[in-house]
């Protein structure tokens, strides 16, 4: 995996962000095109390619969600948008009620507003919870790497993305 | 003695890189001195080159102070604030009976700075770091690079103005922390937030408006003044461009005074008529409040993008002439709730930073590194006029993204990619950068071709596109059609003819000077060979001198003055022992009271 290689670290899912930043700064000092301004064209081009990979790597790995997606992709998982359209079974009931409230608000029934606000808070809490869960799954995978924890991570990512889209919609309606 | 110059200086020094602030109103050049960055003054001592270009009666173009002096008398034969048109690089501006594209106008200003620097150092200058507003898009950056090429300057790096200012403040030496740079200049506004640690300047986010600056304040005031003058004089002046230009200068003067005083006079004398109007700071503030408010929205967005609040900002730096306005300072102080830095001259700080970046590139400045970002998201047009984002704004540059393309029709050999920059969802709301055409694709059934396209934003914030046919592994050719900028061929045709001559003139002169110096050294060596000291010299030293002598003769007939200089120095070193012997025998002779 290029992104781990260019930063010189083992491919793990749990990363210390402070350490990651120090590694990034250190590697930037070595690879940045500024260091090769007087070199010949081929060297300059290599520095450009390598430092863009480094920057792409840091941007991806410092974000747990992007990091997980990158990791899954390189382990052969399909991380496309499909799977995020289906309602996660445990959320079916809540989503059904939420949609009802949304319809009421659209029809001008302002009494649905408090219910929506409650729903929003609930989904925001779920989102925060899923971040903690994700970190646990990262740890589990790093301890015993394998297919099973990765599958769970993919499931959680899909669920998380679904909640996030929902939250965005609700916020949109509430602010109108 | 002094027969041989003993100089241990480095002969083949790498070429000097200067730093340039190519501003909307004023431009400056600076260099890295032993003690720090310094402004390069013109031969007459002027530190600032006004960004004004003028067409003279004989058809020649001039730039700088002399051009500015002609503004009031010849407003139609002068151009100012041309930086504001860099996003329409291919659209020419009228100057007298001629037309000049914005990059050509920029090139004239760069040439003036280049000439000043060449006079200052007594050597040709062809390499520079040039600053641009952080919020400049790809087209504006490309146009700036083109201006350099036209002026015969190889722009090694475009660096963002607020980032350059942060470098000049040297905040890294004092502490590490998070700083905001508020840069309100003549034509553009930028806000950048940086994290500084151990000499690394990491830009977290940037925002701005490339068409908001002191010029807009001037326009507001002029509009009102034009009407007022017309009422007082009983005749409109708006059709008289010389009168309007004279009024503009009077208004600017009053505006500048109001930064230090509570009252000022707009004082216009034109064609024997006079107009005077007192303006108070209070009135000015009421007029410009909406413009200042327009700078605050980008500041808030920038904080949000950096995922910070005003409490996280340790220090604020003010850059640009418009930050002299007390109301601007107050607004910034209120927003960030900390007293901003104003120690350095806001007109010079960007050029000084550019010189430091030049020092980073040349290796003179160590341990300091800028990690800047791209200000705008980059995307491509997809089905239904929608923009698919590939590289998001505030990504550290260089940054890249790879996309795969295929063909839609059997036997299709070309694929057109439309690249856009901006934050909006639809093509019509984003800025079209260029159309890249992948040509010469192997004709295969639809959907079978596999073209991998790499979009890479380099350290200048400029997009590079390369493509590969992944089935054959062959590099795919990419043809670029800029949407608004100049093509390579157009730039090539604009490269100043006179300029290339001027450069070869300098080179010729340097070769001639080096040959004169060689003649002197070779002559001295010939006469030294007649002395006792030569005969006392060990054979191996004699051989070394002879080799250096022959090499110098070879270089002498070439046209590289550096090579000549290098071999002169080599001969100097080889003949050290000889010079010493001659010195000793001269001393001995003196002691004995006899002549050699």
């Amino acid at each position: 995996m290029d992104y781990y290689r260019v930063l010189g670290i083992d491919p793990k899912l749990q990363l210390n962000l402070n350490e990651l930043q120090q590694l990034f700064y250190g590697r930037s000092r070595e690879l940045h095109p500024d260091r090769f301004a007087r070199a010949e064209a081929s060297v300059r081009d290599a520095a450009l390619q390598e430092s863009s990979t480094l920057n792409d790597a840091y941007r991806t790995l410092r974000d747990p969600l992007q990091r997980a997606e990158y990791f899954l992709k390189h382990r052969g998982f399909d991380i496309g948008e499909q799977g995020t359209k289906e309602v996660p079974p445990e959320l079916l009931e809540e989503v059904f009620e939420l949609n009802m409230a949304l319809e009421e608000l659209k029809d001008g029934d302002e009494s649905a507003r408090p219910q929506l606000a409650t729903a929003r808070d609930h989904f925001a809490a779920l989102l925060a919870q899923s971040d903690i869960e994700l970190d646990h799954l990262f740890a589990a995978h790093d301890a015993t790497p394998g297919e099973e924890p990765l599958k769970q991570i993919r499931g959680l990512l899909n669920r998380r993305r679904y909640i996030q889209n929902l939250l965005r919609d609700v916020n949109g309606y509430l602010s109108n | 003695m002094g027969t041989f110059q003993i100089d241990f200086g480095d002969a083949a020094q790498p070429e000097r890189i200067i730093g340039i602030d190519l501003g909307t109103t004023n431009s400056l050049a600076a260099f890295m001195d032993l003690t720090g960055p310094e402004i390069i003054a013109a031969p007459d001592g002027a530190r600032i080159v006004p960004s004004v270009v003028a067409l003279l009666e004989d058809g020649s173009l001039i730039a700088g102070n002399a051009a500015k002096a002609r503004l009031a008398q010849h407003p139609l034969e002068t151009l100012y604030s041309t930086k504001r048109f860099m996003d329409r690089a291919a659209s020419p501006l009228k100057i007298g009976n001629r037309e000049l594209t914005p990059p050509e106008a920029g090139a004239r200003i760069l040439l003036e700075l280049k000439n000043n620097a060449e006079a200052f150092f007594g050597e040709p200058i062809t390499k520079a770091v040039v600053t641009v507003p952080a919020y400049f898009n790809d087209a504006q950056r490309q146009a700036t690079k083109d201006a350099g090429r036209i002026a015969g300057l190889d722009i090694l790096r475009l660096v963002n103005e607020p980032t350059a200012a942060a470098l000049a403040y040297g905040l890294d030496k004092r502490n590490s922390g998070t700083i905001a740079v508020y840069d309100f200049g003549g034509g553009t506004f930028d806000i950048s937030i940086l994290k500084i640690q151990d000499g690394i300047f990491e830009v977290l986010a940037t925002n701005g408006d490339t068409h908001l600056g002191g010029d807009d304040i001037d326009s507001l005031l002029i509009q009102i003044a034009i009407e007022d003058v017309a009422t007082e004089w009983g005749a409109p002046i708006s059709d008289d461009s010389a009168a309007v230009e004279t009024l503009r200068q009077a208004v600017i003067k009053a505006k500048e005074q109001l930064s230090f005083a509570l009252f000022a006079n707009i004082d216009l004398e034109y064609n024997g008529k006079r107009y005077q109007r007192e303006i108070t700071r209070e009135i000015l503030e009421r007029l410009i409040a909406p413009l200042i408010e327009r700078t605050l929205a980008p500041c808030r967005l920038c904080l949000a993008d950096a995922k910070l609040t005003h409490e996280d900002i340790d220090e604020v730096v003010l850059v640009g002439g418009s930050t002299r306005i007390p109301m601007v300072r107050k607004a910034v102080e209120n927003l960030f709730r900390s007293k901003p830095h104003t120690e350095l001259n806001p007109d010079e700080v960007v050029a000084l930073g550019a010189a430091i970046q030049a020092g980073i590139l040349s290796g003179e400045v160590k341990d300091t590194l800028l990690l800047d970002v791209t200000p705008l998201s980059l995307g491509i047009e997809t089905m239904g006029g929608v923009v698919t984002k590939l590289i998001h704004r505030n990504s550290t540059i260089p940054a890249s993204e790879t996309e795969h393309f295929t063909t839609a029709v059997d036997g299709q050999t070309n694929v057109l990619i439309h690249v856009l920059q901006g934050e909006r969802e639809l093509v019509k709301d984003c800025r079209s950068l260029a159309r890249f055409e992948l040509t010469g694709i192997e004709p295969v059934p639809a959907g079978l071709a596999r073209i991998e396209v790499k979009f890479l934003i380099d350290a200048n914030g400029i997009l590079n596109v390369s493509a590969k046919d992944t089935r054959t592994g062959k590099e795919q050719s990419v043809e670029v059609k800029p949407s608004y900028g100049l093509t390579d061929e157009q730039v090539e045709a604009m490269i100043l003819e006179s300029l290339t001559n001027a450069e070869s003139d300098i080179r010729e002169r340097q070769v001639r000077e080096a040959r004169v110096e060689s003649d002197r050294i070779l002559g001295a060596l010939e006469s030294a060979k007649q002395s006792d000291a030569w005969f006392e010299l060990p054979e191996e030293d004699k051989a070394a001198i002879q080799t250096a002598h022959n090499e110098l003769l070879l270089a002498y007939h070439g046209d590289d003055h550096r090579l000549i200089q290098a071999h002169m120095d080599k001969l100097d070193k080889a003949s050290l022992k000889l010079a010493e012997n001659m010195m000793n025998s001269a001393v001995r002779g003196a002691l004995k009271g006899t002549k050699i």
Side-chain angles (χ1 to χ4, degrees), chain B residues 123-313:
Chain B
E123 62 187 44
I125 300 290
T126 62
K127 292 186 165 27
V129 166
V130 175
T131 61
V132 289
Y135 216 56
F136 252 20
N137 64 27
D138 182 275
Q140 291 161 309
R141 286 166 194 270
Q142 191 61 59
T144 307
K145 273 205 110 174
D146 290 344
R149 254 177 84 195
I150 295 167
L153 266 181
D154 182 10
I155 299 182
L156 296 183
R157 171 79 79 251
L158 294 175
V159 50
N160 293 330
E161 287 159 9
T163 329
L167 272 183
Y169 262 95
L171 294 165
D172 58 318
K173 289 182 197 81
R174 290 211 282 275
N175 48 26
S176 53
T178 307
I179 69 162
V181 184
Y182 178 99
D183 181 355
F184 197 17
T188 59
F189 170 70
D190 279 330
I191 174 78
S192 286
I193 295 173
L194 299 93
K195 183 156 77 182
I196 300 174
Q197 196 187 82
D198 305 324
I200 299 256
F201 288 65
E202 184 191 4
V203 179
L204 300 177
T206 192
N207 211 302
D209 187 333
T210 58
H211 291 92
L212 177 61
D215 283 359
D216 298 289
I217 296 175
D218 302 346
S219 311
L220 265 180
L221 294 174
I222 291 162
Q223 273 172 25
I224 297 166
I226 283 180
E227 282 176 34
D228 202 31
V229 173
T231 318
E232 198 164 309
W233 288 358
I237 61 159
S238 43
D239 291 337
D240 184 345
S241 52
V244 171
E245 179 52 38
T246 313
L247 179 61
R248 192 179 74 95
Q249 293 184 11
V251 160
I252 291 172
K253 206 167 153 197
K255 173 190 81 171
E256 289 174 356
Q257 283 169 354
L258 285 178
S259 290
F260 306 97
L262 294 175
F263 306 90
N265 257 319
I266 299 176
D267 193 343
L268 170 69
E269 265 191 271
Y270 184 72
N271 276 355
K273 280 188 274 189
R274 187 136 193 214
Y275 162 85
Q276 274 183 305
R277 175 75 68 212
E278 189 187 75
I279 177 166
T280 65
R281 185 186 283 178
E282 199 194 331
I283 291 178
L284 177 79
E285 290 185 343
R286 221 179 305 147
L287 283 170
I288 66 174
L291 285 179
I292 296 175
E293 186 58 41
R294 266 175 69 193
T295 68
L296 299 182
C299 292
R300 293 189 190 101
L301 283 172
C302 191
L303 273 172
D305 276 353
K307 299 191 177 74
L308 299 174
T309 70
H310 65 86
E311 283 166 7
D312 301 307
I313 304 296

Side-chain angles (χ1 to χ4, degrees), chain A residues 11-73:
Chain A
K12 298 227 171 204
L13 277 167
Q14 236 183 359
L15 296 176
N16 177 318
L17 291 184
N18 280 330
E19 277 171 26
L20 195 66
Q21 181 186 292
Q22 292 316 311
L23 280 171
F24 170 62
Y25 284 174
R27 291 293 279 156
S28 291
R29 286 186 198 277
E30 295 164 14
L31 296 176
H32 196 275
D34 281 5
R35 292 279 172 264
F36 305 92
R38 288 193 191 274
E40 54 188 290
S42 62
V43 176
R44 286 206 312 269
D45 192 56
L48 177 61
Q49 303 293 339
E50 194 76 348
S51 76
S52 73
T53 306
L54 173 66
N55 291 337
D56 299 343
Y58 181 56
R59 188 164 54 250
T60 304
L61 296 187
R62 73 179 162 187
D63 179 72
L65 301 173
Q66 286 190 50
R67 185 196 313 151
E69 286 185 358
Y70 178 78
F71 203 98
L72 287 170
K73 209 173 108 190

Side-chain angles (χ1 to χ4, degrees), chain B residues 83 184 194 216 247 259 275 329 401 431 435 557 585:
Chain B
K83 186 176 174 180
F184 197 17
L194 299 93
D216 298 289
L247 179 61
S259 290
Y275 162 85
R329 293 193 174 183
E401 188 60 62
R431 165 78 189 205
R435 286 177 165 79
H557 295 290
S585 59

Side-chain angles (χ1 to χ4, degrees), chain B residues 329-358:
Chain B
R329 293 193 174 183
K330 217 181 304 159
V332 176
E333 208 175 317
N334 282 343
L335 182 69
F336 292 105
R337 297 186 213 166
S338 70
K339 199 143 190 74
H341 280 283
T342 53
E343 298 92 321
L344 295 180
N345 182 339
D347 296 325
E348 294 186 352
V349 59
V350 170
L352 297 176
I356 297 176
Q357 177 64 31

